[in-house]
């Protein structure tokens, strides 16, 4: 695609073209072409080529170059080309360079690391349908270790879900299938900009598998619990002040607990003379934190869903995760700053978030 300056320079030529020249402009992203150019051109919309047309184009190259390619390999090349003549020719060229002899499906799968991918896709979808987050992340990690192309893997997953949607037969409920297909579709765009190619798919699995748990423990219940305890505490303070005592110099010393060892218990904190208490049930706190962090960064919130809250004590909120790249991501300065800020806002005290690696 041309730059804005290049389009401006081209516009002058298009407005006053030489009599002997005809300009043919081709693009797959017509929406990015400036309106000034579009208004001065005649448009011809090409349909996506059919399978027979692409195979015919590939066969011409095969026959012209005297290549030995089995029919099943040609079918796979068509799938990989995504309806593009150019991509189909490029894939064939890569296979010729990779293998001097006959080009088979095995050669293609070895070159593009897709061997056994159909089985892995079926296995992953079955695990996700069972909401088995641990096993699903394990499968993705194993695929990453094999050097799997996650762009191709995500395409295969989307194709599988699409077939389930059209056939009406699936291990997923209709609502779940729609949500999962939407998540996978969005993650495909994120692969290009992801630090680790597997992260977008991992976030899809984490968000989908933990969605039910989040719905059962919405952030509102945490806030509601906080407000209820504040009202109770205020009532207790009022009762204390209203008590009559013979010794007017006597002071009531009510020291709040400043340490929470169990996330399912109560957090109390004395700050500037005001008593604050919050219902810190682990599920409710996690839901509130994820909901708050999501406003700053969806990726951080998605990774946080896969962590386990272990302790809130001594100004520290501690989480555990089995995956080193999740720990590294949450420990980055920007991510850690967001977590510290949001956790402190929820607990109404200055805390620091720490993420530890665990084998459990």
């Amino acid at each position: 695609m041309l730059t804005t300056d290049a389009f401006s320079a081209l516009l002058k030529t298009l407005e006053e073209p030489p009599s002997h020249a005809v300009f043919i402009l081709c693009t797959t992203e017509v929406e990015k072409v400036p309106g000034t150019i579009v208004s001065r051109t005649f448009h011809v919309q090409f349909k996506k080529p059919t399978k027979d047309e692409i195979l015919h184009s590939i066969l011409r190259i095969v026959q012209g170059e005297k290549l030995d390619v089995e029919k099943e390999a040609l079918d796979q090349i068509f799938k990989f080309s995504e309806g593009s003549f150019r991509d189909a020719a490029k894939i064939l060229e890569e296979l010729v360079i990779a293998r001097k002899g006959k080009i088979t499906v095995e050669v293609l799968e070895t070159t593009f690391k897709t061997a056994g991918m159909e089985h892995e896709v079926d296995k992953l979808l079955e695990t996700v349908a069972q909401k088995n987050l641990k096993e699903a992340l394990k499968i993705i990690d194993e695929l990453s270790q094999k050097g799997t192309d996650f762009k191709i893997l995500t395409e295969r997953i989307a194709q599988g879900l699409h077939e389930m949607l059209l056939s009406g037969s699936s291990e997923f409920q209709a609502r779940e299938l729609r949500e999962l297909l939407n998540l996978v579709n969005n993650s495909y765009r994120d692969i290009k900009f992801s630090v680790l190619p597997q992260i977008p798919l991992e976030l899809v699995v984490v968000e989908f598998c933990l969605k039910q748990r989040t719905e059962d423990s919405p952030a509102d219940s945490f806030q509601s619990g906080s407000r209820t305890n504040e009202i109770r505490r205020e009532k207790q303070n009022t009762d204390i002040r209203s008590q009559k005592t013979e010794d007017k110099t006597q002071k009531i010393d009510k020291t709040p607990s400043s340490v929470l060892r169990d996330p399912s218990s109560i957090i109390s904190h004395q700050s500037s003379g005001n008593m604050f208490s919050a219902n810190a049930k682990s599920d409710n706190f996690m839901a509130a934190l994820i909901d708050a962090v999501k406003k700053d960064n969806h990726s951080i919130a998605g990774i946080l869903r896969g962590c386990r809250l272990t302790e809130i004590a001594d100004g520290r909120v501690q989480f555990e995760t089995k995956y080193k790249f999740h720990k590294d991501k949450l420990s980055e300065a920007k991510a850690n700053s967001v977590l510290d800020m949001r956790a402190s806002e929820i607990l109404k005290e200055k805390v620091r978030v720490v993420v530890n690696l665990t084998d459990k």
Side-chain angles (χ1 to χ4, degrees), residues 94-264:
E94 291 182 20
L95 293 173
V96 171
I97 295 173
R99 183 65 173 260
K100 300 300 181 182
K102 184 176 182 178
I103 297 176
T104 63
V105 173
E106 289 72 21
V107 172
L108 187 144
E109 290 180 341
T110 301
T111 303
F112 293 97
K113 296 181 174 60
T114 60
M117 185 174 287
E118 297 297 335
H119 171 71
E120 296 292 349
V121 168
D122 292 340
K123 183 180 177 182
L124 178 60
L125 290 178
E126 180 181 351
T127 306
V128 172
Q130 297 170 355
K131 309 295 190 302
N132 190 338
L133 177 59
K134 181 179 178 180
E135 184 63 25
L137 290 176
K138 180 181 177 182
I139 293 173
I140 295 175
D141 185 54
E142 290 174 350
L143 289 171
S144 175
Q145 297 299 325
K146 293 178 182 178
T148 300
D149 187 327
F150 276 85
K151 183 173 182 289
I152 297 176
L153 177 63
T154 305
E155 290 172 358
R156 297 290 179 86
I157 293 174
Q159 289 170 0
L161 292 172
H162 185 243
E163 290 173 1
M164 292 180 187
L165 185 66
L166 295 180
S167 65
S169 60
S170 168
E171 298 178 8
F172 299 94
Q173 298 178 9
R175 176 184 59 81
E176 292 178 334
L177 188 59
R178 184 175 65 252
E179 291 177 356
L180 184 57
L181 187 55
N182 186 53
L183 289 172
V184 171
N185 188 53
N186 291 336
S187 73
Y188 185 78
R189 297 193 296 265
D190 297 335
I191 294 175
K192 180 179 179 181
F193 305 101
S194 178
V195 177
L196 298 173
Q198 68 268 31
I199 286 181
L201 187 57
E202 287 176 335
L203 294 180
V204 167
V205 171
V206 169
E207 183 167 350
F208 180 80
C209 291
L210 297 183
K211 183 175 178 59
Q212 188 62 44
R213 174 184 170 187
T214 304
E215 289 177 349
D216 291 341
S217 304
D220 290 344
S221 63
F222 179 86
Q223 300 296 343
S224 175
S226 301
R227 180 56 183 158
T228 300
N229 283 324
E230 286 179 346
I231 293 173
R232 289 176 180 172
R233 179 64 67 184
E234 183 62 30
K235 185 177 183 302
Q236 290 175 1
N237 290 341
T238 301
D239 292 339
I240 292 173
R241 287 194 298 268
S242 64
Q243 289 180 353
K244 293 182 179 181
T245 177
E246 294 180 358
D247 186 1
K248 293 184 179 181
T249 61
Q250 181 180 2
K251 295 183 180 180
I252 299 175
D253 183 14
K254 190 172 183 61
T255 305
S257 171
S258 60
V259 177
L260 173 66
R261 292 295 176 186
D262 181 1
S264 63

Side-chain angles (χ1 to χ4, degrees), residues 321-337:
T321 178
K322 292 173 49 182
Y323 304 98
K324 185 177 183 300
F325 47 86
H326 285 179
K327 176 185 180 300
D328 294 343
K329 189 68 177 177
L330 295 180
S331 299
E332 290 178 359
K334 183 177 179 180
N336 204 246
S337 175

